[in-house]
Amino acid sequence: MPWFYEESKEINLNKKQEVMERVVQEASERISEDFKKVLLLPPDITRYHSGAGQLTEMIYKLLPKTCKVDVIPTLGQHVPHTDKENKWMFGSIPQNCFLEHDWRKGCKTLGEISRDYVKEVSEGKVNWPIPVEINRKVVEENYDFIVNIGHVVPHEVLGFANHNKNYFIGLGGKEMICASHMMAAVCGIENNLGQLITPLRACYNKAEKEYLNDLPHVYIQIVIARNQGGELVTTGLYIGDDLETYLMAA
């Protein structure tokens, strides 16, 4: 089950701040009482409208001043941010905190999702294994807290964006990204879009359980909608470290 969640027709700035304060407090009770090295994983600038950058800045300000904080926007294959773009999206977070994801050379292979499993969940449409590759800093830097922040929205590859998509595409390597997108294409975009668990999502859930199960992390899942005035507003914040957190948001 999620750690907790907040739902409303419009979650205002003060409530967002309260929720982020609770995230840090809950993490200090569930994960570590003393944060020394923290990794923040927000989406990239293509998800600017979700408000994820604002929440990332809030979390940064709530962490101890003595804590080393790294921020890796989950670019996938997108172009790295400029300093100006980082400032626009993430406000006062210092530029020296930001690291660029290198999907070609910056990843570590953890294993693979077997050909047999891929064939099973795709009902025979796909018969190749999917290598599990991720930005090596996630698994090699011994962070004592990882905050994975993102926007849950219908997506043509995973059914819905975010959750462990941030790890396996946003911070994924070339071979994993290519094998994944080809699998989704063969399964059919029209069959993926808006589905809670697509064949590829099932593969990612298995990969997370087998290879990332020991990460000291939490997901902050954002849901937005338009209000009566047509403005984008936050309507849901779902915080937790399990699949149910994603499912509630989706």
Side-chain angles (χ1 to χ4, degrees), residues 62-211:
L62 289 166
L63 293 169
K65 300 301 181 186
T66 55
C67 177
K68 175 177 172 23
V69 181
D70 290 335
V71 184
I72 309 180
T74 54
L75 299 169
Q77 297 167 297
H78 295 172
V79 177
H81 292 177
T82 64
D83 289 354
K84 184 177 180 181
E85 287 172 332
N86 279 334
K87 186 173 182 180
W88 183 51
M89 184 164 178
F90 302 108
S92 62
I93 299 179
Q95 290 298 324
N96 61 10
C97 291
F98 290 94
L99 304 173
E100 290 182 4
H101 173 59
D102 183 350
W103 61 281
R104 292 184 179 90
K105 299 178 181 178
C107 293
K108 180 176 182 177
T109 301
L110 305 180
E112 70 173 24
I113 301 301
S114 72
R115 181 191 309 270
D116 288 344
Y117 186 80
V118 172
K119 186 175 181 179
E120 177 188 342
V121 297
S122 68
E123 298 181 341
K125 296 183 180 71
V126 178
N127 66 346
W128 56 78
I130 297 179
V132 179
E133 302 173 309
I134 193 169
N135 188 300
R136 61 178 65 253
K137 288 187 175 294
V138 175
V139 291
E140 291 183 352
E141 288 289 327
N142 295 316
Y143 292 104
D144 48 34
F145 185 33
I146 298 174
V147 187
N148 197 322
I149 308 159
H151 180 197
V152 177
V153 62
H155 191 271
E156 67 275 13
V157 174
L158 266 297
F160 284 87
N162 210 243
H163 195 247
N164 49 34
K165 175 181 180 289
N166 260 22
Y167 288 128
F168 299 128
I169 291 182
L171 295 179
K174 181 179 186 296
E175 299 304 322
M176 184 171 197
I177 291 173
C178 290
S180 295
H181 281 81
M182 186 59 74
M183 177 186 181
V186 171
C187 289
I189 288 174
E190 70 280 7
N191 299 318
N192 298 328
L193 190 62
Q195 297 299 314
L196 295 180
I197 305 292
T198 63
L200 182 58
R201 175 72 73 178
C203 291
Y204 284 5
N205 292 343
K206 184 176 177 63
E208 180 179 4
K209 184 176 181 180
E210 292 187 0
Y211 298 109

Side-chain angles (χ1 to χ4, degrees), residues 1-5 22-23 26-27 30-31 217-218 239-241:
M1 292 296 293
W3 291 6
F4 67 97
Y5 61 94
R22 185 174 173 187
V23 170
E26 292 257 353
R30 294 170 181 261
I31 295 176
H217 72 160
V218 67
I239 291 85
D241 57 7

Side-chain angles (χ1 to χ4, degrees), residues 221-234:
Q221 307 282 266
I222 304 164
V223 174
I224 64 174
R226 293 194 182 276
N227 62 17
Q228 289 184 339
E231 301 169 315
L232 288 173
V233 295
T234 302

